[in-house]
Amino acid sequence: MKRNAIMVLMATTMFFTACKKEEEKMDETPMESALNPSSAPRQSVDRFSVDAGTLMVRDGSNGLPAANVAINFDQAPFITHGLGPHGEHVKYYNFDVMPLNPAPIYVLFKTGSSTPVSGQLNIVDVIPGDATYNDFWNVVKVYVPQDYRANTVTSVSEIASKGYATEETTILVNCPIVPEGSTASMRVGSTDTELTMGWYNDKIVYYFNFAEAPLMGSVMPISPIYVTFNINPNMPGGGPPSGFVTEDGTQTHNVLFSLPGDSDYSPLWSVSVYDNADFTSVMCSMTASAASVLATDVMTVNCPVAHVE
């Protein structure tokens, strides 16, 4: 099992590192039919519209960035200090509610090759705000002819119109699409924090890569997290709008039941809410399980662990 997990993680890294590295050394004189990512139009991205957000929706007073403005995920409310299953101090990013069903991301291979087409950016068909968008993606291989030139195909509709064969894999990746220039400087097990470029309907989009643990399957695995709010959700104004209880303005007692390296870790967390009267006694998964739980499995949120002490 451990060997399989390592192989999946290596394969995932190969797919996305290949695209990132080749961006820098891409041919500056592409064929007429190919698009140059350096000069291609950029797609506007808004993660906080009413269509894109659930917990984080811009309302004119909450200070969430405007559409297509770079986001600093290293500052509140996008970073949370929580606790691990044994009381470890952890930091995790907040990318809002996400569904279990991943969206497809298309990675192009020349027929017979085991590595992606050099210089070709990956292709997606949905962005934040679309009904089927997800930060989590299922890798779909696309097989192109031997004479294919990178970035000749830059949309999912072109893949279909050209009749290229596709193969759905069981590899899942966590790659939130964000505005150009966005930053998230922490990773577990990696120093690669740069944005990666991809194609969406002949336009460039940017996304993060979180690869702190291998993910695989047809739907996203989930792991439990127990949280508590300043006002309990059964009270007026309670729940997420009231904010998490903290002991010093920063440190919550939100408890993650797994961490990167654990066999059951997932960055998609199933949220249960415990009574804030139990805040001081909750310090690990054992004490969280003993707390008075007000609601279980209320939502699934994308919160990749970024730092563990």
PDB file of all heavy atoms in Angstrom, residues 154-189:
ATOM      1  N   THR A 154      -5.956  23.948 -27.111  1.00  0.00           N
ATOM      2  CA  THR A 154      -6.011  24.777 -25.906  1.00  0.00           C
ATOM      3  C   THR A 154      -7.415  24.838 -25.304  1.00  0.00           C
ATOM      4  O   THR A 154      -7.717  25.741 -24.529  1.00  0.00           O
ATOM      5  CB  THR A 154      -5.527  26.207 -26.224  1.00  0.00           C
ATOM      6  OG1 THR A 154      -6.291  26.733 -27.330  1.00  0.00           O
ATOM      7  CG2 THR A 154      -4.045  26.208 -26.605  1.00  0.00           C
ATOM      8  N   SER A 155      -8.265  23.879 -25.679  1.00  0.00           N
ATOM      9  CA  SER A 155      -9.607  23.827 -25.094  1.00  0.00           C
ATOM     10  C   SER A 155     -10.107  22.389 -25.135  1.00  0.00           C
ATOM     11  O   SER A 155      -9.660  21.583 -25.957  1.00  0.00           O
ATOM     12  CB  SER A 155     -10.581  24.737 -25.850  1.00  0.00           C
ATOM     13  OG  SER A 155     -10.844  24.224 -27.146  1.00  0.00           O
ATOM     14  N   VAL A 156     -11.051  22.088 -24.275  1.00  0.00           N
ATOM     15  CA  VAL A 156     -11.636  20.749 -24.241  1.00  0.00           C
ATOM     16  C   VAL A 156     -12.446  20.490 -25.500  1.00  0.00           C
ATOM     17  O   VAL A 156     -12.472  19.368 -26.019  1.00  0.00           O
ATOM     18  CB  VAL A 156     -12.497  20.575 -22.977  1.00  0.00           C
ATOM     19  CG1 VAL A 156     -13.220  19.235 -22.994  1.00  0.00           C
ATOM     20  CG2 VAL A 156     -11.628  20.680 -21.723  1.00  0.00           C
ATOM     21  N   SER A 157     -13.084  21.531 -26.028  1.00  0.00           N
ATOM     22  CA  SER A 157     -13.875  21.339 -27.248  1.00  0.00           C
ATOM     23  C   SER A 157     -12.999  20.903 -28.413  1.00  0.00           C
ATOM     24  O   SER A 157     -13.424  20.113 -29.269  1.00  0.00           O
ATOM     25  CB  SER A 157     -14.625  22.631 -27.600  1.00  0.00           C
ATOM     26  OG  SER A 157     -13.718  23.698 -27.842  1.00  0.00           O
ATOM     27  N   GLU A 158     -11.746  21.384 -28.466  1.00  0.00           N
ATOM     28  CA  GLU A 158     -10.831  20.970 -29.531  1.00  0.00           C
ATOM     29  C   GLU A 158     -10.422  19.511 -29.372  1.00  0.00           C
ATOM     30  O   GLU A 158     -10.243  18.794 -30.367  1.00  0.00           O
ATOM     31  CB  GLU A 158      -9.583  21.855 -29.527  1.00  0.00           C
ATOM     32  CG  GLU A 158      -9.812  23.258 -30.054  1.00  0.00           C
ATOM     33  CD  GLU A 158      -8.525  24.066 -30.009  1.00  0.00           C
ATOM     34  OE1 GLU A 158      -8.101  24.450 -28.899  1.00  0.00           O
ATOM     35  OE2 GLU A 158      -7.944  24.301 -31.091  1.00  0.00           O
ATOM     36  N   ILE A 159     -10.233  19.070 -28.131  1.00  0.00           N
ATOM     37  CA  ILE A 159      -9.911  17.652 -27.898  1.00  0.00           C
ATOM     38  C   ILE A 159     -11.007  16.781 -28.489  1.00  0.00           C
ATOM     39  O   ILE A 159     -10.735  15.782 -29.170  1.00  0.00           O
ATOM     40  CB  ILE A 159      -9.751  17.371 -26.390  1.00  0.00           C
ATOM     41  CG1 ILE A 159      -8.527  18.117 -25.833  1.00  0.00           C
ATOM     42  CG2 ILE A 159      -9.628  15.873 -26.127  1.00  0.00           C
ATOM     43  CD1 ILE A 159      -8.400  18.034 -24.316  1.00  0.00           C
ATOM     44  N   ALA A 160     -12.258  17.175 -28.238  1.00  0.00           N
ATOM     45  CA  ALA A 160     -13.394  16.401 -28.747  1.00  0.00           C
ATOM     46  C   ALA A 160     -13.500  16.491 -30.269  1.00  0.00           C
ATOM     47  O   ALA A 160     -13.710  15.476 -30.946  1.00  0.00           O
ATOM     48  CB  ALA A 160     -14.683  16.884 -28.096  1.00  0.00           C
ATOM     49  N   SER A 161     -13.346  17.698 -30.820  1.00  0.00           N
ATOM     50  CA  SER A 161     -13.528  17.878 -32.262  1.00  0.00           C
ATOM     51  C   SER A 161     -12.463  17.151 -33.067  1.00  0.00           C
ATOM     52  O   SER A 161     -12.718  16.719 -34.193  1.00  0.00           O
ATOM     53  CB  SER A 161     -13.541  19.365 -32.613  1.00  0.00           C
ATOM     54  OG  SER A 161     -12.266  19.957 -32.378  1.00  0.00           O
ATOM     55  N   LYS A 162     -11.272  17.009 -32.515  1.00  0.00           N
ATOM     56  CA  LYS A 162     -10.187  16.310 -33.205  1.00  0.00           C
ATOM     57  C   LYS A 162     -10.256  14.800 -33.000  1.00  0.00           C
ATOM     58  O   LYS A 162      -9.495  14.046 -33.615  1.00  0.00           O
ATOM     59  CB  LYS A 162      -8.839  16.858 -32.753  1.00  0.00           C
ATOM     60  CG  LYS A 162      -8.581  18.298 -33.193  1.00  0.00           C
ATOM     61  CD  LYS A 162      -7.232  18.792 -32.733  1.00  0.00           C
ATOM     62  CE  LYS A 162      -6.999  20.237 -33.156  1.00  0.00           C
ATOM     63  NZ  LYS A 162      -6.948  20.376 -34.639  1.00  0.00           N
ATOM     64  N   GLY A 163     -11.140  14.355 -32.131  1.00  0.00           N
ATOM     65  CA  GLY A 163     -11.338  12.940 -31.929  1.00  0.00           C
ATOM     66  C   GLY A 163     -10.197  12.233 -31.224  1.00  0.00           C
ATOM     67  O   GLY A 163     -10.014  11.028 -31.387  1.00  0.00           O
ATOM     68  N   TYR A 164      -9.449  12.971 -30.407  1.00  0.00           N
ATOM     69  CA  TYR A 164      -8.334  12.356 -29.688  1.00  0.00           C
ATOM     70  C   TYR A 164      -8.855  11.377 -28.641  1.00  0.00           C
ATOM     71  O   TYR A 164      -9.832  11.657 -27.936  1.00  0.00           O
ATOM     72  CB  TYR A 164      -7.480  13.417 -29.008  1.00  0.00           C
ATOM     73  CG  TYR A 164      -6.705  14.301 -29.950  1.00  0.00           C
ATOM     74  CD1 TYR A 164      -6.444  15.633 -29.632  1.00  0.00           C
ATOM     75  CD2 TYR A 164      -6.210  13.815 -31.159  1.00  0.00           C
ATOM     76  CE1 TYR A 164      -5.726  16.454 -30.485  1.00  0.00           C
ATOM     77  CE2 TYR A 164      -5.491  14.631 -32.020  1.00  0.00           C
ATOM     78  CZ  TYR A 164      -5.253  15.945 -31.683  1.00  0.00           C
ATOM     79  OH  TYR A 164      -4.535  16.747 -32.530  1.00  0.00           O
ATOM     80  N   ALA A 165      -8.179  10.241 -28.525  1.00  0.00           N
ATOM     81  CA  ALA A 165      -8.560   9.247 -27.522  1.00  0.00           C
ATOM     82  C   ALA A 165      -8.219   9.763 -26.127  1.00  0.00           C
ATOM     83  O   ALA A 165      -7.193  10.438 -25.935  1.00  0.00           O
ATOM     84  CB  ALA A 165      -7.829   7.935 -27.784  1.00  0.00           C
ATOM     85  N   THR A 166      -9.059   9.449 -25.161  1.00  0.00           N
ATOM     86  CA  THR A 166      -8.828   9.863 -23.776  1.00  0.00           C
ATOM     87  C   THR A 166      -8.870   8.650 -22.856  1.00  0.00           C
ATOM     88  O   THR A 166      -9.513   7.643 -23.166  1.00  0.00           O
ATOM     89  CB  THR A 166      -9.870  10.897 -23.315  1.00  0.00           C
ATOM     90  OG1 THR A 166     -11.184  10.307 -23.382  1.00  0.00           O
ATOM     91  CG2 THR A 166      -9.828  12.144 -24.171  1.00  0.00           C
ATOM     92  N   GLU A 167      -8.205   8.783 -21.734  1.00  0.00           N
ATOM     93  CA  GLU A 167      -8.168   7.718 -20.729  1.00  0.00           C
ATOM     94  C   GLU A 167      -8.277   8.342 -19.344  1.00  0.00           C
ATOM     95  O   GLU A 167      -7.389   9.091 -18.919  1.00  0.00           O
ATOM     96  CB  GLU A 167      -6.873   6.915 -20.829  1.00  0.00           C
ATOM     97  CG  GLU A 167      -6.741   5.843 -19.752  1.00  0.00           C
ATOM     98  CD  GLU A 167      -5.355   5.206 -19.725  1.00  0.00           C
ATOM     99  OE1 GLU A 167      -4.531   5.518 -20.615  1.00  0.00           O
ATOM    100  OE2 GLU A 167      -5.087   4.433 -18.787  1.00  0.00           O
ATOM    101  N   GLU A 168      -9.352   8.057 -18.650  1.00  0.00           N
ATOM    102  CA  GLU A 168      -9.530   8.580 -17.293  1.00  0.00           C
ATOM    103  C   GLU A 168      -8.694   7.760 -16.322  1.00  0.00           C
ATOM    104  O   GLU A 168      -8.783   6.536 -16.289  1.00  0.00           O
ATOM    105  CB  GLU A 168     -11.007   8.525 -16.905  1.00  0.00           C
ATOM    106  CG  GLU A 168     -11.325   9.193 -15.576  1.00  0.00           C
ATOM    107  CD  GLU A 168     -12.810   9.263 -15.300  1.00  0.00           C
ATOM    108  OE1 GLU A 168     -13.573   9.554 -16.249  1.00  0.00           O
ATOM    109  OE2 GLU A 168     -13.206   9.016 -14.150  1.00  0.00           O
ATOM    110  N   THR A 169      -7.877   8.432 -15.529  1.00  0.00           N
ATOM    111  CA  THR A 169      -7.051   7.748 -14.540  1.00  0.00           C
ATOM    112  C   THR A 169      -7.739   7.816 -13.177  1.00  0.00           C
ATOM    113  O   THR A 169      -8.817   8.395 -13.033  1.00  0.00           O
ATOM    114  CB  THR A 169      -5.658   8.398 -14.440  1.00  0.00           C
ATOM    115  OG1 THR A 169      -5.766   9.653 -13.750  1.00  0.00           O
ATOM    116  CG2 THR A 169      -5.048   8.620 -15.811  1.00  0.00           C
ATOM    117  N   THR A 170      -7.103   7.249 -12.171  1.00  0.00           N
ATOM    118  CA  THR A 170      -7.609   7.353 -10.797  1.00  0.00           C
ATOM    119  C   THR A 170      -6.800   8.368 -10.002  1.00  0.00           C
ATOM    120  O   THR A 170      -6.946   8.457  -8.787  1.00  0.00           O
ATOM    121  CB  THR A 170      -7.542   5.988 -10.103  1.00  0.00           C
ATOM    122  OG1 THR A 170      -6.193   5.503 -10.129  1.00  0.00           O
ATOM    123  CG2 THR A 170      -8.466   4.984 -10.769  1.00  0.00           C
ATOM    124  N   ILE A 171      -5.965   9.150 -10.697  1.00  0.00           N
ATOM    125  CA  ILE A 171      -5.147  10.163 -10.018  1.00  0.00           C
ATOM    126  C   ILE A 171      -5.984  11.410  -9.767  1.00  0.00           C
ATOM    127  O   ILE A 171      -6.618  11.949 -10.684  1.00  0.00           O
ATOM    128  CB  ILE A 171      -3.904  10.516 -10.836  1.00  0.00           C
ATOM    129  CG1 ILE A 171      -3.000   9.295 -10.989  1.00  0.00           C
ATOM    130  CG2 ILE A 171      -3.126  11.656 -10.186  1.00  0.00           C
ATOM    131  CD1 ILE A 171      -1.845   9.510 -11.944  1.00  0.00           C
ATOM    132  N   LEU A 172      -5.995  11.878  -8.527  1.00  0.00           N
ATOM    133  CA  LEU A 172      -6.688  13.099  -8.142  1.00  0.00           C
ATOM    134  C   LEU A 172      -5.653  14.118  -7.690  1.00  0.00           C
ATOM    135  O   LEU A 172      -4.668  13.772  -7.035  1.00  0.00           O
ATOM    136  CB  LEU A 172      -7.677  12.821  -7.006  1.00  0.00           C
ATOM    137  CG  LEU A 172      -8.751  11.764  -7.282  1.00  0.00           C
ATOM    138  CD1 LEU A 172      -9.546  11.477  -6.009  1.00  0.00           C
ATOM    139  CD2 LEU A 172      -9.678  12.214  -8.402  1.00  0.00           C
ATOM    140  N   VAL A 173      -5.888  15.384  -8.029  1.00  0.00           N
ATOM    141  CA  VAL A 173      -4.958  16.446  -7.647  1.00  0.00           C
ATOM    142  C   VAL A 173      -5.734  17.633  -7.092  1.00  0.00           C
ATOM    143  O   VAL A 173      -6.883  17.877  -7.459  1.00  0.00           O
ATOM    144  CB  VAL A 173      -4.091  16.894  -8.842  1.00  0.00           C
ATOM    145  CG1 VAL A 173      -3.111  15.786  -9.237  1.00  0.00           C
ATOM    146  CG2 VAL A 173      -4.940  17.299 -10.041  1.00  0.00           C
ATOM    147  N   ASN A 174      -5.081  18.370  -6.197  1.00  0.00           N
ATOM    148  CA  ASN A 174      -5.684  19.540  -5.562  1.00  0.00           C
ATOM    149  C   ASN A 174      -5.027  20.775  -6.158  1.00  0.00           C
ATOM    150  O   ASN A 174      -3.926  21.154  -5.779  1.00  0.00           O
ATOM    151  CB  ASN A 174      -5.458  19.488  -4.046  1.00  0.00           C
ATOM    152  CG  ASN A 174      -6.212  20.589  -3.312  1.00  0.00           C
ATOM    153  OD1 ASN A 174      -6.962  21.360  -3.903  1.00  0.00           O
ATOM    154  ND2 ASN A 174      -6.006  20.674  -1.996  1.00  0.00           N
ATOM    155  N   CYS A 175      -5.715  21.408  -7.112  1.00  0.00           N
ATOM    156  CA  CYS A 175      -5.147  22.533  -7.864  1.00  0.00           C
ATOM    157  C   CYS A 175      -6.171  23.668  -7.963  1.00  0.00           C
ATOM    158  O   CYS A 175      -6.829  23.839  -9.009  1.00  0.00           O
ATOM    159  CB  CYS A 175      -4.718  22.088  -9.249  1.00  0.00           C
ATOM    160  SG  CYS A 175      -3.387  20.866  -9.264  1.00  0.00           S
ATOM    161  N   PRO A 176      -6.349  24.457  -6.896  1.00  0.00           N
ATOM    162  CA  PRO A 176      -7.329  25.554  -6.940  1.00  0.00           C
ATOM    163  C   PRO A 176      -6.952  26.609  -7.980  1.00  0.00           C
ATOM    164  O   PRO A 176      -5.814  27.101  -7.994  1.00  0.00           O
ATOM    165  CB  PRO A 176      -7.256  26.139  -5.521  1.00  0.00           C
ATOM    166  CG  PRO A 176      -6.618  25.068  -4.680  1.00  0.00           C
ATOM    167  CD  PRO A 176      -5.686  24.347  -5.581  1.00  0.00           C
ATOM    168  N   ILE A 177      -7.891  26.958  -8.835  1.00  0.00           N
ATOM    169  CA  ILE A 177      -7.692  28.042  -9.797  1.00  0.00           C
ATOM    170  C   ILE A 177      -7.883  29.368  -9.084  1.00  0.00           C
ATOM    171  O   ILE A 177      -8.876  29.575  -8.373  1.00  0.00           O
ATOM    172  CB  ILE A 177      -8.654  27.907 -10.984  1.00  0.00           C
ATOM    173  CG1 ILE A 177      -8.279  26.682 -11.834  1.00  0.00           C
ATOM    174  CG2 ILE A 177      -8.662  29.164 -11.844  1.00  0.00           C
ATOM    175  CD1 ILE A 177      -9.194  26.438 -13.011  1.00  0.00           C
ATOM    176  N   VAL A 178      -6.936  30.281  -9.272  1.00  0.00           N
ATOM    177  CA  VAL A 178      -6.911  31.555  -8.558  1.00  0.00           C
ATOM    178  C   VAL A 178      -6.519  32.672  -9.522  1.00  0.00           C
ATOM    179  O   VAL A 178      -5.992  32.401 -10.607  1.00  0.00           O
ATOM    180  CB  VAL A 178      -5.909  31.515  -7.380  1.00  0.00           C
ATOM    181  CG1 VAL A 178      -6.355  30.512  -6.318  1.00  0.00           C
ATOM    182  CG2 VAL A 178      -4.499  31.182  -7.870  1.00  0.00           C
ATOM    183  N   PRO A 179      -6.746  33.933  -9.144  1.00  0.00           N
ATOM    184  CA  PRO A 179      -6.285  35.032  -9.997  1.00  0.00           C
ATOM    185  C   PRO A 179      -4.761  35.043 -10.144  1.00  0.00           C
ATOM    186  O   PRO A 179      -4.038  34.623  -9.241  1.00  0.00           O
ATOM    187  CB  PRO A 179      -6.776  36.282  -9.252  1.00  0.00           C
ATOM    188  CG  PRO A 179      -7.927  35.817  -8.436  1.00  0.00           C
ATOM    189  CD  PRO A 179      -7.564  34.421  -8.008  1.00  0.00           C
ATOM    190  N   GLU A 180      -4.292  35.525 -11.272  1.00  0.00           N
ATOM    191  CA  GLU A 180      -2.856  35.655 -11.515  1.00  0.00           C
ATOM    192  C   GLU A 180      -2.213  36.490 -10.407  1.00  0.00           C
ATOM    193  O   GLU A 180      -2.777  37.499  -9.964  1.00  0.00           O
ATOM    194  CB  GLU A 180      -2.615  36.331 -12.864  1.00  0.00           C
ATOM    195  CG  GLU A 180      -1.164  36.478 -13.238  1.00  0.00           C
ATOM    196  CD  GLU A 180      -0.962  37.109 -14.603  1.00  0.00           C
ATOM    197  OE1 GLU A 180      -1.975  37.495 -15.241  1.00  0.00           O
ATOM    198  OE2 GLU A 180       0.201  37.220 -15.048  1.00  0.00           O
ATOM    199  N   GLY A 181      -1.050  36.053  -9.933  1.00  0.00           N
ATOM    200  CA  GLY A 181      -0.333  36.775  -8.891  1.00  0.00           C
ATOM    201  C   GLY A 181      -0.678  36.347  -7.480  1.00  0.00           C
ATOM    202  O   GLY A 181      -0.063  36.830  -6.523  1.00  0.00           O
ATOM    203  N   SER A 182      -1.635  35.445  -7.319  1.00  0.00           N
ATOM    204  CA  SER A 182      -2.001  34.973  -5.976  1.00  0.00           C
ATOM    205  C   SER A 182      -0.832  34.199  -5.357  1.00  0.00           C
ATOM    206  O   SER A 182      -0.005  33.619  -6.061  1.00  0.00           O
ATOM    207  CB  SER A 182      -3.248  34.080  -6.043  1.00  0.00           C
ATOM    208  OG  SER A 182      -4.375  34.801  -6.486  1.00  0.00           O
ATOM    209  N   THR A 183      -0.786  34.210  -4.016  1.00  0.00           N
ATOM    210  CA  THR A 183       0.318  33.566  -3.310  1.00  0.00           C
ATOM    211  C   THR A 183      -0.187  32.695  -2.166  1.00  0.00           C
ATOM    212  O   THR A 183      -1.184  33.011  -1.523  1.00  0.00           O
ATOM    213  CB  THR A 183       1.299  34.605  -2.736  1.00  0.00           C
ATOM    214  OG1 THR A 183       0.564  35.554  -1.931  1.00  0.00           O
ATOM    215  CG2 THR A 183       2.013  35.362  -3.842  1.00  0.00           C
ATOM    216  N   ALA A 184       0.536  31.602  -1.940  1.00  0.00           N
ATOM    217  CA  ALA A 184       0.324  30.715  -0.792  1.00  0.00           C
ATOM    218  C   ALA A 184       1.692  30.088  -0.544  1.00  0.00           C
ATOM    219  O   ALA A 184       2.086  29.156  -1.244  1.00  0.00           O
ATOM    220  CB  ALA A 184      -0.730  29.661  -1.087  1.00  0.00           C
ATOM    221  N   SER A 185       2.430  30.585   0.418  1.00  0.00           N
ATOM    222  CA  SER A 185       3.874  30.330   0.510  1.00  0.00           C
ATOM    223  C   SER A 185       4.251  29.065   1.258  1.00  0.00           C
ATOM    224  O   SER A 185       5.431  28.720   1.309  1.00  0.00           O
ATOM    225  CB  SER A 185       4.558  31.521   1.195  1.00  0.00           C
ATOM    226  OG  SER A 185       4.154  31.617   2.558  1.00  0.00           O
ATOM    227  N   MET A 186       3.290  28.343   1.842  1.00  0.00           N
ATOM    228  CA  MET A 186       3.622  27.176   2.658  1.00  0.00           C
ATOM    229  C   MET A 186       3.175  25.882   1.993  1.00  0.00           C
ATOM    230  O   MET A 186       2.112  25.822   1.372  1.00  0.00           O
ATOM    231  CB  MET A 186       2.984  27.305   4.048  1.00  0.00           C
ATOM    232  CG  MET A 186       3.564  28.416   4.892  1.00  0.00           C
ATOM    233  SD  MET A 186       2.789  28.500   6.539  1.00  0.00           S
ATOM    234  CE  MET A 186       1.174  29.163   6.090  1.00  0.00           C
ATOM    235  N   ARG A 187       4.005  24.853   2.143  1.00  0.00           N
ATOM    236  CA  ARG A 187       3.672  23.512   1.684  1.00  0.00           C
ATOM    237  C   ARG A 187       4.259  22.502   2.660  1.00  0.00           C
ATOM    238  O   ARG A 187       5.281  22.769   3.305  1.00  0.00           O
ATOM    239  CB  ARG A 187       4.249  23.223   0.289  1.00  0.00           C
ATOM    240  CG  ARG A 187       3.725  24.091  -0.833  1.00  0.00           C
ATOM    241  CD  ARG A 187       2.277  23.797  -1.177  1.00  0.00           C
ATOM    242  NE  ARG A 187       1.891  24.512  -2.383  1.00  0.00           N
ATOM    243  CZ  ARG A 187       1.542  25.799  -2.424  1.00  0.00           C
ATOM    244  NH1 ARG A 187       1.520  26.509  -1.297  1.00  0.00           N
ATOM    245  NH2 ARG A 187       1.201  26.370  -3.560  1.00  0.00           N
ATOM    246  N   VAL A 188       3.662  21.352   2.743  1.00  0.00           N
ATOM    247  CA  VAL A 188       4.236  20.231   3.481  1.00  0.00           C
ATOM    248  C   VAL A 188       4.929  19.328   2.468  1.00  0.00           C
ATOM    249  O   VAL A 188       4.310  18.878   1.498  1.00  0.00           O
ATOM    250  CB  VAL A 188       3.158  19.440   4.247  1.00  0.00           C
ATOM    251  CG1 VAL A 188       3.743  18.152   4.816  1.00  0.00           C
ATOM    252  CG2 VAL A 188       2.570  20.285   5.369  1.00  0.00           C
ATOM    253  N   GLY A 189       6.231  19.096   2.674  1.00  0.00           N
ATOM    254  CA  GLY A 189       6.969  18.184   1.825  1.00  0.00           C
ATOM    255  C   GLY A 189       7.377  18.722   0.482  1.00  0.00           C
ATOM    256  O   GLY A 189       7.786  17.967  -0.398  1.00  0.00           O
TER     257      GLY A 189
END
